[in-house]
Amino acid sequence: MSILVVGTVAFDAIETPFGKTDKIVGGAATYICLSSSFFTNKINLISVVGEDFPDSAIQVLKNKSVNTKGLQIKKGEKTFFWSGKYHDNMNTRDTLDTQLNVLENFNPIVPKEFKESDFLMLGNLMPSVQKKVLSQMTKKPKLIVLDTMNFWMDLFMDDLKEALKQVDVLTINDEEARQLSGEHSLVKAAKKILKMGPKHLVIKKGEHGALLFNNKEVFFAPALPLEEVFDPTGAGDSFAGGFIGYLAKTNDISFNNMKKAVIYGSTMASFCVEKFGTKKLNEITQKEVKTRVNEFIQLVKFDTTL
Ligand code: AMP
């Protein structure tokens, strides 16, 4: 099954208690593509960069079988830039700077051969761009997943709520779920959000795991306890990439299979945080992914008689 991925391809500057990076390659779509490439080799990318973005970074995506035909390169313009600083607990962060640059006037054009992609991953970027991509699909994708963040809620809540009416799964973190719903309790928040359009909701809680809701059921997966967490940047996007990648690979969108997809998403996120930026996702092998999924299974498995 093919996946159409929309989102930022970016430069990031990151500060964690363990170190600091200057401009490195990041962006929601970058992490999503790298992560989902472990599950399918049919990934179509829609994004935009400036002429300052290195060809070598685009080649990395191409080497992972990502079709970059929908990646616009804007002459004389600068790539989207984000900078963030993590708190000592590594679970929360402050955005220090967001420079939209090429994103400011981005008009996404979905190439003809992408318009019938089977799965659609609307990664984090302007809700109006997410909507424009949705409207260009000639066949309704089997599953539409949307990810967003507080930045877009602050600026374009109405646009976001419009987009949400058309999606099957929303993935956000706990603070964003509270902001979107106006509820502190995540159970109440989920109930409200599920009335806004999405049939399923994933609430990511960083090192405290992830919750999957639909109208009837709820599932919880912990995060793998890791010895070393260097940089949480991209964990949410790696989660989304693993989640949709697994669903596309198995071509099964039942709640039961989504539970497994949450484990695969959590697995990809657990790798991502072990090194700065995209480094770890570029290094891991299929065998390591399998071994880590098995660690997850062992972590939550127990016997009891009631
Ligand atoms: P995550 O840690 O999964 O939330 O995602 C981090 C990535 O999101 C970074 O690589 C940033 O380039 C990207 N990012 C940060 N702010 C935004 C934004 N407002 N819209 C889209 N992408 C963003």
Side-chain angles (χ1 to χ4, degrees):
M1 293 283 122
S2 56
I3 308 177
L4 178 59
V5 176
V6 187
T8 45
V9 172
F11 282 130
D12 293 342
I14 304 159
E15 200 176 329
T16 82
F18 300 102
K20 208 173 162 175
T21 66
D22 239 0
K23 275 185 170 179
I24 57 169
V25 170
T30 308
Y31 284 102
I32 293 168
C33 287
L34 291 176
S35 171
S36 51
S37 69
F38 282 84
F39 304 91
T40 172
N41 56 12
K42 290 187 197 148
I43 302 169
N44 302 323
L45 170 65
I46 302 274
S47 193
V48 62
V49 291
E51 71 175 359
D52 53 350
F53 198 73
D55 279 347
S56 56
I58 300 175
Q59 197 52 49
V60 170
L61 293 173
K62 286 184 177 162
N63 292 346
K64 299 269 181 182
S65 300
V66 176
N67 185 337
T68 58
K69 203 172 169 190
L71 175 67
Q72 298 177 24
I73 302 169
K74 294 282 180 194
K75 284 246 152 57
E77 292 189 46
K78 281 164 78 180
T79 299
F80 172 80
F81 172 76
W82 173 79
S83 141
K85 183 177 174 176
Y86 288 85
H87 301 159
D88 284 344
N89 67 17
M90 293 287 262
N91 220 25
T92 49
R93 70 183 177 204
D94 293 324
T95 286
L96 303 178
D97 195 6
T98 302
Q99 295 172 18
L100 294 179
N101 299 330
V102 278
L103 210 59
E104 200 131 15
N105 297 309
F106 178 39
N107 183 28
I109 296 162
V110 181
K112 195 158 174 274
E113 65 260 46
F114 290 6
K115 288 187 184 216
E116 300 204 344
S117 299
D118 302 299
F119 284 68
L120 175 56
M121 179 68 232
L122 297 169
N124 190 14
L125 87 185
M126 266 117 166
S128 58
V129 172
Q130 294 174 319
K131 281 200 300 180
K132 277 187 191 158
V133 169
L134 262 171
S135 69
Q136 290 174 59
M137 302 303 283
T138 47
K139 193 178 87 186
K140 191 184 177 310
K142 187 159 182 171
L143 191 81
I144 302 168
V145 181
L146 185 144
D147 187 83
T148 189
M149 72 185 287
N150 55 352
F151 185 82
W152 302 115
M153 292 184 193
D154 293 340
L155 290 175
F156 303 115
M157 188 62 114
D158 290 346
D159 273 350
L160 177 64
K161 285 191 174 165
E162 274 302 310
L164 285 183
K165 289 182 186 156
Q166 299 178 63
V167 314
D168 299 301
V169 186
L170 171 66
T171 65
I172 44 177
N173 71 27
D174 40 1
E175 283 317 308
E176 291 153 359
R178 291 187 172 110
Q179 184 174 352
L180 182 59
S181 64
E183 293 286 352
H184 184 77
S185 147
L186 293 181
V187 176
K188 281 188 183 166
K191 278 191 182 157
K192 269 200 178 172
I193 293 169
L194 289 171
K195 284 193 182 124
M196 295 178 186
K199 295 173 200 72
H200 306 272
L201 170 69
V202 176
I203 301 182
K204 299 165 285 182
K205 289 160 56 73
E207 66 173 330
H208 304 298
L211 288 155
L212 168 69
F213 294 90
N214 71 6
N215 271 327
K216 288 191 225 123
E217 292 164 280
V218 55
F219 172 70
F220 171 72
L224 201 69
L226 294 169
E227 248 178 63
E228 286 175 323
V229 174
F230 273 100
D231 171 19
T233 308
D237 306 310
S238 304
F239 176 96
F243 178 80
I244 199 161
Y246 181 76
L247 294 175
K249 180 181 175 183
T250 51
N251 192 18
D252 173 355
I253 56 167
S254 64
F255 190 79
N256 207 30
N257 205 45
M258 277 191 197
K259 291 184 187 177
K260 295 181 203 165
V262 168
I263 299 293
Y264 278 86
S266 305
T267 297
M268 300 315 290
S270 78
F271 282 119
C272 175
V273 302
E274 286 183 327
K275 291 201 173 158
F276 266 100
T278 56
K279 197 164 189 290
K280 185 77 183 194
L281 286 185
N282 282 320
E283 290 173 2
I284 47 172
T285 61
Q286 292 284 359
K287 192 163 168 249
E288 286 173 275
V289 173
K290 267 196 184 159
T291 307
R292 193 156 283 190
V293 170
N294 198 36
E295 283 177 45
F296 261 102
I297 295 170
Q298 300 312 320
L299 181 70
V300 292
K301 199 166 107 182
F302 66 97
D303 290 321
T304 186
T305 40
L306 290 175

